[in-house]
């Protein structure tokens, strides 16, 4: 066996993995902010599809659409 002293030959991998982990989390955190407010748009698309398919009528569509716009 070799005596490596205080330095293991692969010890540089752990700090690199640590930095990569935080970099990936930071990038994911930054990208998440751009997609937070799409929930309302998705709900309006679903609402429009329900109107087009005949599941709801115009009055119900307008009522729900006003509620979605308030949020």
């Amino acid at each position: 066996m070799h005596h490596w002293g205080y330095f293991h030959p692969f010890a540089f991998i752990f700090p690199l993995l640590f930095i990569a982990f935080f970099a990936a989390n930071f990038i994911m955190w930054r990208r998440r902010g751009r997609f937070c407010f799409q929930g309302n748009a998705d709900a309006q698309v679903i609402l429009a599809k329900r109107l087009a398919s005949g599941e709801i009528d115009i009055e119900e569509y307008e009522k729900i659409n006003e509620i979605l716009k308030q949020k």
Side-chain angles (χ1 to χ4, degrees):
M1 290 189 111
H2 295 285
H3 179 67
W4 296 100
Y6 294 107
F7 183 73
H8 191 272
F10 299 108
F12 67 92
I13 292 176
F14 296 111
L16 290 177
L17 289 174
F18 190 72
I19 291 169
F21 173 75
F22 278 106
N25 278 324
F26 180 75
I27 290 169
M28 288 171 35
W29 174 70
R30 293 287 294 175
R31 288 184 179 175
R32 182 185 63 186
R34 286 187 255 162
F35 303 114
C36 283
F37 298 107
Q38 287 186 350
N40 232 0
D42 290 341
Q44 289 176 335
V45 169
I46 293 170
L47 184 64
K49 286 180 182 179
R50 288 183 64 195
L51 176 66
S53 69
E55 291 180 36
I56 58 175
D57 57 355
I58 296 289
E59 293 83 23
E60 191 173 359
Y61 171 81
E62 290 173 351
K63 184 174 83 172
I64 296 172
N65 198 22
E66 287 298 319
I67 293 170
L68 289 175
K69 286 181 181 179
Q70 291 175 0
K71 292 184 179 183

